Amino acid sequence: MISCARHLCETLKTRSAPSRAYATAGDAGKRRLNLPVDFGKSPLLHHTSATFQNVPDLPQHGKTTKLNLYQAVNAGLRAALKEDNKVLCFGEDVAFGGVFRCTMNLQSEFGPDRVFNTPITEQGIVGAAIGMAAEGAKPVVEIQFADYVFPAFDQIVNEASKFRYREGATGANLAGMVLRMPCGGVGHGALYHTQSPESLFCHIPGFKVVVPRSPTQAKGLLLASILESQDPVIFMEPKILYRAAVEEVPDELYTLPLGKAEVLKTGSDLTMISYGRPLYTCMAAIEAVEKASPGLSVELIDLRTIFPWDRQTVLESVKKTGRAMVVHESMVNYGVGSELAASIQEAAFLHLKAPIKRLGGWTTHTGLAWEKFIFPDTTRIYDGVLELMDY
């Protein structure tokens, strides 16, 4: 009996597939599509300043520096603090540089009256920012993770978003108030460090909601949010890109338009709309599906500002291609994709050749071991393109 048991155990060991921890890379040679993004070669990043000519809003001349996304945020904050002495930066650990180093060295340069730490109280941080902005300051506050913003929801929804409306003809507003928050998955964030709650804020009028995809975008959009917007801005930074996305960034102060999408790749058969980190996955899927299907041409649009979103750019593209897919990392239910899909079918129904497709995170909490299975990957997007083309 003991001999049989030993034999069975040895047989099971032989037949069992080797296991690996969730964070290990596995054998890339056995995967066809879901390969890690090579940010060093991504066409979505400016590996040299020569590609600035493709983006009219970027400075075309002058010095540039290769920065990752957190360094670009830091550069944007430094430029804003220099440009306007009404700009303030504060939040938990901000004086020390913050968890992701976005505010590093700012206090030593601009002093503790303009860059300072706060207690651990998100509601207090946002409430203080509202009061300061109401008196003419431009507070740029950091919520350490987007997952932690919920205690401040009352201040955001019931106070900040209604302020300009309540003031009416007085013209008072909260211009320059920006709530920065790292968002999205990183591969090991689990329940409380992976959330992307942008759709919750998009339901509320009174705020702009911005999600940059790259260092040049982060600096320009952040400066526009601080120095130009007449409404408060929720500025959501995909934290996996803080160090992964590296590109040339203009040294000078510049702004990029809020509320304006950018066509990253033109196409004629399908319009793919996304923002933030998933754009890199979308591009990987597009390159693969176009290679496998000669003649297929997919247009890729970065919303940049997801509320209010650029209806004109999106609708013109969909009317041209006749097919639309919206991709985002946040849960698919009641998400940004739902709003875009409804708006597209209302305004471009007769131009559609196939149903509008939404790809988002599955409607579940993001457990530590399951994150990579929950967010849209290259294969899901690739298959989605084929489904729309075969409809």
Side-chain angles (χ1 to χ4, degrees), residues 196-200 202 275 306 326 328 330-342 358 360-361 363:
S196 296
E198 62 267 19
S199 63
L200 300 178
C202 292
Y275 54 89
I306 59 174
V326 188
H328 52 71
S330 59
M331 286 185 277
V332 71
N333 58 307
Y334 294 88
V336 174
S338 301
E339 171 63 23
L340 266 68
R358 295 176 297 143
T363 306

Side-chain angles (χ1 to χ4, degrees), residues 100-331:
F100 295 102
R101 318 311 292 159
C102 292
T103 55
M104 189 166 56
N105 298 325
L106 295 182
Q107 189 184 72
S108 61
E109 185 171 348
F110 297 98
D113 291 335
R114 297 185 65 195
V115 181
F116 52 89
N117 289 333
T118 67
I120 302 175
T121 167
E122 285 75 20
Q123 186 173 13
I125 292 169
V126 176
I130 293 170
M132 292 177 179
E135 293 299 316
K138 295 179 179 292
V140 184
V141 306
E142 179 179 301
I143 304 298
Q144 206 165 73
F145 287 86
D147 312 62
Y148 302 165
V149 74
F150 302 111
F153 208 67
D154 179 59
Q155 291 291 321
I156 294 170
V157 173
N158 279 329
E159 302 299 336
S161 69
K162 295 177 173 64
F163 187 89
R164 189 175 180 185
Y165 181 89
R166 290 170 60 194
E167 287 295 324
T170 69
N173 57 36
L174 300 180
M177 174 179 164
V178 178
L179 309 181
R180 293 181 43 249
M181 58 190 78
C183 66
V186 291
H188 51 266
L191 296 178
Y192 300 108
H193 299 85
T194 60
Q195 296 179 73
S196 296
E198 62 267 19
S199 63
L200 300 178
F201 300 116
C202 292
H203 184 67
I204 308 300
F207 264 92
K208 292 183 173 74
V209 182
V210 177
V211 185
R213 71 172 185 274
S214 69
T216 56
Q217 296 290 313
K219 181 179 177 180
L221 292 169
L222 180 58
L223 282 166
S225 301
I226 300 169
L227 302 176
E228 296 178 351
S229 177
Q230 293 302 300
D231 294 301
V233 176
I234 292 176
F235 197 85
M236 306 186 72
E237 301 160 7
K239 57 183 175 286
I240 197 170
L241 299 180
Y242 274 144
R243 288 169 174 78
V246 180
E247 66 179 347
E248 295 292 335
V249 179
D251 292 348
E252 65 186 85
L253 188 153
Y254 65 95
T255 61
L256 295 173
L258 301 179
K260 179 65 177 174
E262 182 181 353
V263 178
L264 301 177
K265 177 186 176 299
T266 59
S268 57
D269 298 312
L270 185 150
T271 299
M272 192 177 297
I273 309 143
S274 189
Y275 54 89
R277 166 62 181 86
L279 284 162
Y280 296 90
T281 310
C282 289
M283 181 58 79
I286 290 170
E287 290 176 341
V289 75
E290 288 185 346
K291 181 178 180 181
S293 305
L296 176 62
S297 176
V298 179
E299 186 147 300
L300 180 61
I301 296 177
D302 178 7
L303 285 180
R304 301 198 293 188
T305 302
I306 59 174
F307 185 75
W309 57 281
D310 185 354
R311 293 171 181 265
Q312 180 178 349
T313 296
V314 170
L315 291 174
E316 286 178 355
S317 175
V318 174
K319 289 177 181 178
K320 176 183 69 174
T321 66
R323 300 176 182 88
M325 175 190 294
V326 188
V327 182
H328 52 71
E329 191 173 291
S330 59
M331 286 185 277

Side-chain angles (χ1 to χ4, degrees), residues 351-384:
H351 296 268
L352 293 176
K353 302 173 185 176
I356 302 160
K357 193 166 192 65
R358 295 176 297 143
L359 287 179
W362 300 122
T363 306
T364 180
H365 301 294
T366 310
L368 181 62
W370 309 112
E371 180 177 323
K372 64 181 178 181
F373 302 112
I374 292 172
F375 300 144
D377 57 23
T378 308
T379 300
R380 281 176 62 191
I381 299 170
Y382 182 102
D383 289 344

